Amino acid sequence: MKVSPEILKEADVLLASFLTGMILLFVYDLLRIMRRLVSHKSWVTGAEDLLFWIGSAIALFAMLYRENSGYIRGFVIGGVVVGMLSYNLLLSRWVVKGSVFLLEKILFLVSRPMVWTARLLKGPLGRLKKMLKKVLRFWKKQLKKLWKAVRIGLCKL
């Protein structure tokens, strides 16, 4: 039994829409991972979401244009929704939790040498800061005395 080329083309479009849905939700998971690692204000989160959905609309339009000459078909939208749902149910939780766990460990290991260096330099830098404060206070007093002498000298003229 031979399958018509039109049916094969529709199956390709359905597969492309399914994969597009999965990719879109994966990109959104990258945003979720970033939000868990770095806290965001609510307006930044809203702006990120707006940019994501604009990008998603452009990507979906590009896929429709490339695969189906720009025709919007119900099964294409259904394929995107099923792709998103299947990714969300099967992979999303593990991708987000696993990535956040690994990135937190990597950031911890990378930041350790910086923390140790800061602890080592805290004592000497603290003493240097105290000395600089004393020197600055001394010069401030000297400049005040000098200014007072200049003002008195100008008043005598």
mmCIF file of all heavy atoms in Angstrom, residues 104-123:
data_model
loop_
_atom_site.group_PDB
_atom_site.id
_atom_site.type_symbol
_atom_site.label_atom_id
_atom_site.label_comp_id
_atom_site.label_asym_id
_atom_site.label_seq_id
_atom_site.Cartn_x
_atom_site.Cartn_y
_atom_site.Cartn_z
ATOM 1 N N GLU A 104 24.146 25.244 40.396
ATOM 2 C CA GLU A 104 24.442 25.718 41.754
ATOM 3 C C GLU A 104 25.732 25.102 42.270
ATOM 4 O O GLU A 104 26.542 25.788 42.905
ATOM 5 C CB GLU A 104 23.285 25.392 42.698
ATOM 6 C CG GLU A 104 22.113 26.331 42.561
ATOM 7 C CD GLU A 104 20.949 25.962 43.454
ATOM 8 O OE1 GLU A 104 20.898 24.814 43.959
ATOM 9 O OE2 GLU A 104 20.076 26.824 43.646
ATOM 10 N N LYS A 105 25.947 23.818 42.014
ATOM 11 C CA LYS A 105 27.188 23.167 42.444
ATOM 12 C C LYS A 105 28.392 23.762 41.726
ATOM 13 O O LYS A 105 29.437 24.017 42.341
ATOM 14 C CB LYS A 105 27.127 21.653 42.194
ATOM 15 C CG LYS A 105 26.080 20.945 43.024
ATOM 16 C CD LYS A 105 26.335 21.116 44.497
ATOM 17 C CE LYS A 105 25.264 20.450 45.309
ATOM 18 N NZ LYS A 105 25.275 20.813 46.703
ATOM 19 N N ILE A 106 28.258 23.996 40.427
ATOM 20 C CA ILE A 106 29.366 24.574 39.665
ATOM 21 C C ILE A 106 29.670 25.978 40.173
ATOM 22 O O ILE A 106 30.842 26.335 40.380
ATOM 23 C CB ILE A 106 29.037 24.579 38.162
ATOM 24 C CG1 ILE A 106 29.048 23.145 37.619
ATOM 25 C CG2 ILE A 106 29.998 25.455 37.389
ATOM 26 C CD1 ILE A 106 28.507 23.001 36.227
ATOM 27 N N LEU A 107 28.627 26.788 40.379
ATOM 28 C CA LEU A 107 28.845 28.143 40.888
ATOM 29 C C LEU A 107 29.467 28.120 42.280
ATOM 30 O O LEU A 107 30.312 28.958 42.603
ATOM 31 C CB LEU A 107 27.521 28.917 40.916
ATOM 32 C CG LEU A 107 26.973 29.328 39.556
ATOM 33 C CD1 LEU A 107 25.580 29.929 39.713
ATOM 34 C CD2 LEU A 107 27.898 30.304 38.867
ATOM 35 N N PHE A 108 29.061 27.152 43.112
ATOM 36 C CA PHE A 108 29.652 27.023 44.440
ATOM 37 C C PHE A 108 31.140 26.719 44.335
ATOM 38 O O PHE A 108 31.960 27.351 45.003
ATOM 39 C CB PHE A 108 28.931 25.925 45.226
ATOM 40 C CG PHE A 108 29.510 25.677 46.579
ATOM 41 C CD1 PHE A 108 29.235 26.528 47.638
ATOM 42 C CD2 PHE A 108 30.347 24.592 46.805
ATOM 43 C CE1 PHE A 108 29.774 26.306 48.888
ATOM 44 C CE2 PHE A 108 30.894 24.357 48.056
ATOM 45 C CZ PHE A 108 30.608 25.212 49.098
ATOM 46 N N LEU A 109 31.498 25.758 43.472
ATOM 47 C CA LEU A 109 32.901 25.383 43.320
ATOM 48 C C LEU A 109 33.731 26.512 42.716
ATOM 49 O O LEU A 109 34.880 26.724 43.107
ATOM 50 C CB LEU A 109 33.022 24.126 42.460
ATOM 51 C CG LEU A 109 32.505 22.840 43.103
ATOM 52 C CD1 LEU A 109 32.555 21.689 42.102
ATOM 53 C CD2 LEU A 109 33.307 22.502 44.347
ATOM 54 N N VAL A 110 33.157 27.251 41.800
ATOM 55 C CA VAL A 110 33.883 28.350 41.169
ATOM 56 C C VAL A 110 34.061 29.504 42.149
ATOM 57 O O VAL A 110 35.102 30.171 42.160
ATOM 58 C CB VAL A 110 33.150 28.807 39.891
ATOM 59 C CG1 VAL A 110 33.696 30.123 39.367
ATOM 60 C CG2 VAL A 110 33.249 27.738 38.820
ATOM 61 N N SER A 111 33.059 29.745 42.987
ATOM 62 C CA SER A 111 33.131 30.892 43.898
ATOM 63 C C SER A 111 33.994 30.624 45.129
ATOM 64 O O SER A 111 34.406 31.565 45.804
ATOM 65 C CB SER A 111 31.724 31.294 44.348
ATOM 66 O OG SER A 111 31.163 30.285 45.165
ATOM 67 N N ARG A 112 34.259 29.378 45.447
ATOM 68 C CA ARG A 112 35.056 29.067 46.639
ATOM 69 C C ARG A 112 36.407 29.764 46.655
ATOM 70 O O ARG A 112 36.776 30.365 47.661
ATOM 71 C CB ARG A 112 35.259 27.546 46.788
ATOM 72 C CG ARG A 112 34.088 26.813 47.389
ATOM 73 C CD ARG A 112 33.842 27.214 48.824
ATOM 74 N NE ARG A 112 32.717 28.134 48.863
ATOM 75 C CZ ARG A 112 32.313 28.829 49.905
ATOM 76 N NH1 ARG A 112 32.916 28.728 51.038
ATOM 77 N NH2 ARG A 112 31.304 29.639 49.833
ATOM 78 N N PRO A 113 37.213 29.690 45.584
ATOM 79 C CA PRO A 113 38.508 30.387 45.637
ATOM 80 C C PRO A 113 38.364 31.887 45.871
ATOM 81 O O PRO A 113 39.178 32.497 46.560
ATOM 82 C CB PRO A 113 39.125 30.109 44.259
ATOM 83 C CG PRO A 113 38.476 28.863 43.798
ATOM 84 C CD PRO A 113 37.096 28.885 44.365
ATOM 85 N N MET A 114 37.303 32.491 45.318
ATOM 86 C CA MET A 114 37.086 33.926 45.536
ATOM 87 C C MET A 114 36.740 34.206 46.996
ATOM 88 O O MET A 114 37.190 35.199 47.562
ATOM 89 C CB MET A 114 35.970 34.427 44.619
ATOM 90 C CG MET A 114 36.382 34.497 43.176
ATOM 91 S SD MET A 114 35.082 35.183 42.180
ATOM 92 C CE MET A 114 34.598 33.753 41.258
ATOM 93 N N VAL A 115 35.958 33.336 47.617
ATOM 94 C CA VAL A 115 35.599 33.511 49.027
ATOM 95 C C VAL A 115 36.842 33.374 49.895
ATOM 96 O O VAL A 115 37.054 34.165 50.822
ATOM 97 C CB VAL A 115 34.514 32.495 49.441
ATOM 98 C CG1 VAL A 115 34.308 32.484 50.939
ATOM 99 C CG2 VAL A 115 33.211 32.799 48.721
ATOM 100 N N TRP A 116 37.646 32.372 49.606
ATOM 101 C CA TRP A 116 38.870 32.179 50.389
ATOM 102 C C TRP A 116 39.802 33.381 50.238
ATOM 103 O O TRP A 116 40.414 33.830 51.205
ATOM 104 C CB TRP A 116 39.581 30.904 49.969
ATOM 105 C CG TRP A 116 38.834 29.645 50.288
ATOM 106 C CD1 TRP A 116 37.944 29.438 51.310
ATOM 107 C CD2 TRP A 116 38.891 28.431 49.565
ATOM 108 N NE1 TRP A 116 37.445 28.170 51.266
ATOM 109 C CE2 TRP A 116 38.013 27.505 50.196
ATOM 110 C CE3 TRP A 116 39.570 27.993 48.452
ATOM 111 C CZ2 TRP A 116 37.823 26.221 49.761
ATOM 112 C CZ3 TRP A 116 39.372 26.697 48.013
ATOM 113 C CH2 TRP A 116 38.507 25.828 48.670
ATOM 114 N N THR A 117 39.942 33.886 49.028
ATOM 115 C CA THR A 117 40.786 35.057 48.795
ATOM 116 C C THR A 117 40.253 36.262 49.561
ATOM 117 O O THR A 117 41.021 37.016 50.172
ATOM 118 C CB THR A 117 40.862 35.368 47.290
ATOM 119 O OG1 THR A 117 41.298 34.197 46.604
ATOM 120 C CG2 THR A 117 41.810 36.513 47.012
ATOM 121 N N ALA A 118 38.951 36.455 49.533
ATOM 122 C CA ALA A 118 38.350 37.582 50.258
ATOM 123 C C ALA A 118 38.589 37.459 51.748
ATOM 124 O O ALA A 118 38.871 38.450 52.426
ATOM 125 C CB ALA A 118 36.851 37.648 49.960
ATOM 126 N N ARG A 119 38.493 36.250 52.284
ATOM 127 C CA ARG A 119 38.740 36.046 53.713
ATOM 128 C C ARG A 119 40.192 36.326 54.064
ATOM 129 O O ARG A 119 40.487 36.881 55.130
ATOM 130 C CB ARG A 119 38.375 34.624 54.118
ATOM 131 C CG ARG A 119 36.890 34.405 54.226
ATOM 132 C CD ARG A 119 36.564 33.018 54.700
ATOM 133 N NE ARG A 119 35.121 32.803 54.695
ATOM 134 C CZ ARG A 119 34.554 31.620 54.675
ATOM 135 N NH1 ARG A 119 35.296 30.532 54.682
ATOM 136 N NH2 ARG A 119 33.246 31.511 54.663
ATOM 137 N N LEU A 120 41.103 35.918 53.176
ATOM 138 C CA LEU A 120 42.516 36.175 53.430
ATOM 139 C C LEU A 120 42.831 37.671 53.398
ATOM 140 O O LEU A 120 43.644 38.161 54.174
ATOM 141 C CB LEU A 120 43.387 35.457 52.390
ATOM 142 C CG LEU A 120 43.563 33.954 52.579
ATOM 143 C CD1 LEU A 120 44.329 33.368 51.395
ATOM 144 C CD2 LEU A 120 44.303 33.668 53.874
ATOM 145 N N LEU A 121 42.190 38.387 52.502
ATOM 146 C CA LEU A 121 42.483 39.813 52.349
ATOM 147 C C LEU A 121 41.675 40.695 53.288
ATOM 148 O O LEU A 121 41.956 41.884 53.398
ATOM 149 C CB LEU A 121 42.225 40.243 50.899
ATOM 150 C CG LEU A 121 43.133 39.613 49.852
ATOM 151 C CD1 LEU A 121 42.716 40.052 48.469
ATOM 152 C CD2 LEU A 121 44.585 39.969 50.115
ATOM 153 N N LYS A 122 40.691 40.129 53.964
ATOM 154 C CA LYS A 122 39.810 40.928 54.819
ATOM 155 C C LYS A 122 40.596 41.616 55.937
ATOM 156 O O LYS A 122 40.398 42.806 56.188
ATOM 157 C CB LYS A 122 38.730 40.030 55.424
ATOM 158 C CG LYS A 122 37.681 40.775 56.196
ATOM 159 C CD LYS A 122 36.617 39.825 56.702
ATOM 160 C CE LYS A 122 35.545 40.576 57.463
ATOM 161 N NZ LYS A 122 34.507 39.672 57.941
ATOM 162 N N GLY A 123 41.470 40.916 56.600
ATOM 163 C CA GLY A 123 42.257 41.499 57.694
ATOM 164 C C GLY A 123 43.162 42.617 57.231
ATOM 165 O O GLY A 123 43.070 43.748 57.708
#
